[in-house]
C-alpha cells in the first residue's frame, strides 16, 4: 500500500473547505489508490466549528482518509506537508479600505510562508485560494526562501473554468473540446480572459464564434464579474465551484494536464510582464509539480494592453505590502 500523502488545508472551517475536504477524502485529487492524511489549520476562535467538520469527515468513513490533525498552530499544520491549500483569509470588512485588507492578509501569508519553509517537505506544492490570491502567493513565496518559487501558485482556475463553461454554451460544444484558453493577470475584475488563441476541436474558436461583440461586451466582462454575479444571486461568495477549481488546479499540477490551464505563477519576465509578481498565465502541467509557461505565442496589441492593466494592479498591490516583503531576492529571479 502507498504511503499516505499529507495535505494541509487552511481556513478549514470555512465555506470552501466544507466542500473541498470531503472531495479530497474521497480521493478525487490523487486517485482512489492514494491514502491521505489531512492537517487542518484554523483560527483559535473557529476550533469548535472545525471539530464539527472533523466529526462529519469521520462519519464519512472514507477508506482513504487515514489521519486528521486539527490545529491553530501553523508549524503543526504544515508539518511534512506534501500539498497545501491556503484557503483561510480575512474578507474585507464593511467600510474597510482595500489596502488595509491587503495588509491584514499579507501578515497571514507571511507567517504561513515562513512556516511552510520551515516544516513542510521540500517538495511541497502550495496553491493560494484566499484573496488577494496572487499577492498572497507572492508574499508566502518571498517569505519561504528555501522553497522554489514555482512551488507557490495562485488559483485562477475558477476563472478559467468559468470561461470554458461560457464558451461551450455559446458554441454548443463540449468543455473538453476547448483548448488554448488563458486567463492572464490578477484574480480580480482586471483579469484578461483571452480567447484569441483558443481552439475548439482544433479549429480557431474566434472563427467559430464569429461574434466580436459577444467576446468583448458579454464574454470578457461576464467572466471578470462572475464572482460578483454569484454573490448577488446567492448572497454568499462562490464556494463549491471554488473548491472544485482548487482540486483541479492541484490534481493537474500533480498528475499533469494535456491542455492549457491557467495558474498564477511568479513572472520571469515573459511577454514583458514585470518579474516577481504572481500573474495568471497559460501553463502546461507535466506532472510531479512540473509545469511550463506557454511561451512565444503572438500577442495582439489589444491583448497586451489588457494584460498590462492587470499587471499594473498587481504592482500596486505589491507596493501596498512592500513592508512585509523581506529584503531579499527570490531564488532565481531578479525583482
Ligand atoms: P470563509 O470566510 O467561509 O472561510 C475562511 C476561513 O478562514 C474562516 O473559517 C476563517 O476562520 C479562516 N481563517 C482566517 N484567517 C485564518 C488564518 N490566519 N489561518 C487559518 N484560517 C484562517 O471564506 P471562504 O468562502 O471559504 O473563502 C476563503 C477565501 O477564498 C476568501 O479569501 C475568498 O475571497 C477566497 N476565494 C478565492 C477564489 C479564487 O478564485 N481564488 C474564489 C472564491 C473565494
Amino acid at each position: 500500500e502507498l504511503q499516505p500523502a499529507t495535505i494541509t488545508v487552511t481556513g478549514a472551517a470555512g465555506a470552501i473547505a466544507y466542500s473541498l475536504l470531503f472531495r479530497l477524502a474521497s480521493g478525487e485529487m490523487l486517485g482512489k489508490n492514494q491514502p491521505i492524511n489531512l492537517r487542518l489549520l484554523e483560527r483559535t476562535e473557529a476550533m469548535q466549528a472545525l471539530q464539527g467538520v472533523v466529526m462529519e469527515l469521520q462519519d464519512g468513513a472514507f477508506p482513504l482518509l487515514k489521519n486528521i490533525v486539527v490545529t491553530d498552530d501553523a508549524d503543526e499544520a504544515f508539518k511534512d506537508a506534501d500539498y497545501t491549500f491556503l484557503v483561510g483569509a480575512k474578507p474585507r470588512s464593511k467600510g474597510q479600505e482595500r489596502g488595509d485588507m491587503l495588509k491584514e492578509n499579507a501578515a497571514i501569508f507571511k507567517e504561513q510562508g515562513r512556516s511552510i519553509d520551515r516544516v513542510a517537505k521540500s517538495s511541497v506544492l502550495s496553491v493560494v485560494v484566499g484573496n488577494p490570491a496572487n499577492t498572497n502567493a507572492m508574499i508566502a513565496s518571498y517569505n519561504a526562501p528555501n522553497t522554489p518559487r514555482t512551488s507557490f501558485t495562485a488559483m485562477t482556475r475558477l476563472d478559467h473554468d468559468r470561461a470554458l463553461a461560457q464558451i461551450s454554451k455559446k458554441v454548443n460544444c463540449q468543455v473538453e473540446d476547448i483548448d488554448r484558453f488563458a486567463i492572464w493577470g490578477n484574480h480580480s475584475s482586471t483579469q484578461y480572459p483571452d480567447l484569441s488563441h483558443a481552439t475548439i476541436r482544433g479549429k480557431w474558436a474566434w472563427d467559430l464564434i464569429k461574434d466580436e461583440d459577444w467576446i468583448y461586451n458579454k464574454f470578457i466582462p461576464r467572466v471578470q464579474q462572475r464572482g460578483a454575479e454569484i454573490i448577488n444571486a446567492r448572497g454568499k461568495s462562490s464556494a463549491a465551484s471554488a473548491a472544485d477549481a482548487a482540486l483541479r488546479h492541484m490534481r493537474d499540477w500533480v498528475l499533469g494536464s494535456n491542455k492549457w490551464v491557467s495558474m498564477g505563477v511568479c513572472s520571469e519576465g515573459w511577454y514583458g510582464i514585470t518579474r516577481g509578481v504572481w500573474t495568471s498565465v497559460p501553463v502546461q502541467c507535466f506532472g510531479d509539480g512540473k509545469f511550463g509557461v506557454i511561451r512565444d505565442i503572438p500577442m495582439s496589441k489589444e491583448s497586451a494592453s489588457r494584460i498590462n492593466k492587470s499587471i499594473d494592479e498587481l504592482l500596486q498591490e505589491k507596493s501596498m505590502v512592500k513592508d512585509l516583503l523581506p529584503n531579499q531576492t527570490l531564488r532565481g529571479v531578479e525583482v
Side-chain angles (χ1 to χ4, degrees):
E1 192 172 303
L2 292 167
Q3 281 296 311
T6 299
I7 305 176
T8 302
V9 178
T10 74
I16 293 175
Y18 193 66
S19 181
L20 176 64
L21 291 172
F22 294 84
R23 298 185 58 187
L24 294 175
S26 76
E28 279 188 65
M29 183 176 115
L30 298 171
K32 305 283 177 190
N33 296 320
Q34 176 61 62
I36 63 165
N37 294 328
L38 288 175
R39 302 185 79 88
L40 309 180
L41 181 67
E42 255 299 347
R43 293 176 308 128
T44 315
E45 298 84 332
M47 280 293 121
Q48 195 190 335
L50 182 54
Q51 286 298 349
V53 176
V54 170
M55 286 184 233
E56 286 201 70
L57 280 166
Q58 286 164 347
D59 295 348
F62 294 104
L64 293 171
L65 181 54
K66 300 303 176 193
N67 188 40
I68 307 174
V69 170
V70 171
T71 180
D72 57 2
D73 177 83
D75 280 0
E76 171 140 20
F78 293 119
K79 188 160 176 26
D80 296 327
D82 294 294
Y83 310 107
T84 84
F85 289 87
L86 306 181
V87 182
K90 268 199 86 163
R92 189 156 150 191
S93 48
K94 227 177 165 182
Q96 188 182 34
E97 294 287 332
R98 186 172 160 82
D100 291 336
M101 182 273 283
L102 267 151
K103 278 188 189 143
E104 280 187 20
N105 279 300
I108 296 174
F109 286 84
K110 176 177 177 169
E111 185 210 327
Q112 293 185 357
R114 284 185 173 176
S115 175
I116 288 169
D117 208 38
R118 266 196 304 269
V119 301
K121 296 231 177 85
S122 59
S123 58
V124 65
L125 302 180
S126 298
V127 59
V128 176
V129 177
N131 278 319
N134 299 54
T135 293
N136 289 340
M138 174 189 73
I139 291 164
S141 181
Y142 265 82
N143 285 284
N146 302 305
T147 307
R149 65 184 184 281
T150 47
S151 302
F152 286 93
T153 58
M155 182 173 99
T156 53
R157 182 61 176 268
L158 179 54
D159 309 290
H160 184 102
D161 286 350
R162 284 167 170 165
L164 297 189
Q166 295 297 323
I167 298 165
S168 88
K169 207 167 122 204
K170 172 73 177 169
V171 292
N172 202 10
C173 70
Q174 302 296 313
V175 167
E176 309 87 85
D177 295 339
I178 307 166
D179 193 5
R180 297 168 62 87
F181 175 78
I183 300 284
W184 298 87
N186 201 359
H187 168 68
S188 77
S189 57
T190 67
Q191 66 177 260
Y192 173 43
D194 178 10
L195 250 169
S196 62
H197 306 283
T199 57
I200 297 169
R201 272 180 254 110
K203 297 209 176 81
W204 196 33
W206 205 276
D207 274 354
L208 294 172
I209 293 168
K210 280 204 224 76
D211 185 351
E212 289 203 357
D213 177 60
W214 180 82
I215 294 173
Y216 287 117
N217 301 319
K218 303 246 164 50
F219 170 74
I220 292 176
R222 186 154 212 200
V223 174
Q224 290 171 329
Q225 302 292 339
R226 185 64 160 184
E229 195 182 345
I230 304 280
I231 292 177
N232 287 338
R234 230 169 70 87
K236 298 179 207 143
S237 70
S238 336
S241 55
D244 182 68
L247 192 135
R248 288 175 192 233
H249 174 118
M250 195 62 103
R251 185 175 57 199
D252 284 346
W253 194 6
V254 177
L255 302 179
S257 69
N258 51 7
K259 288 188 187 179
W260 290 17
V261 291
S262 300
M263 298 198 323
V265 305
C266 178
S267 171
E268 292 176 13
W270 342 271
Y271 305 104
I273 297 172
T274 310
R275 287 166 174 260
V277 294
W278 262 248
T279 172
S280 184
V281 287
V283 305
Q284 192 145 15
C285 297
F286 305 121
D288 263 342
K290 295 187 182 63
F291 63 84
V293 173
I294 306 295
R295 307 285 287 272
D296 302 325
I297 42 176
M299 189 66 75
S300 70
K301 274 206 177 122
E302 174 72 30
S303 293
S305 109
R306 286 173 183 265
I307 293 169
N308 282 339
K309 204 172 138 209
S310 198
I311 302 301
D312 282 347
E313 184 184 48
L314 286 168
L315 289 168
Q316 262 173 37
E317 290 185 10
K318 186 171 184 176
S319 73
M320 281 188 239
V321 300
K322 64 175 184 302
D323 300 345
L324 288 144
L325 301 175
N327 218 353
Q328 70 196 16
T329 50
L330 285 176
R331 232 167 78 173
V333 197
E334 287 168 44
V335 283

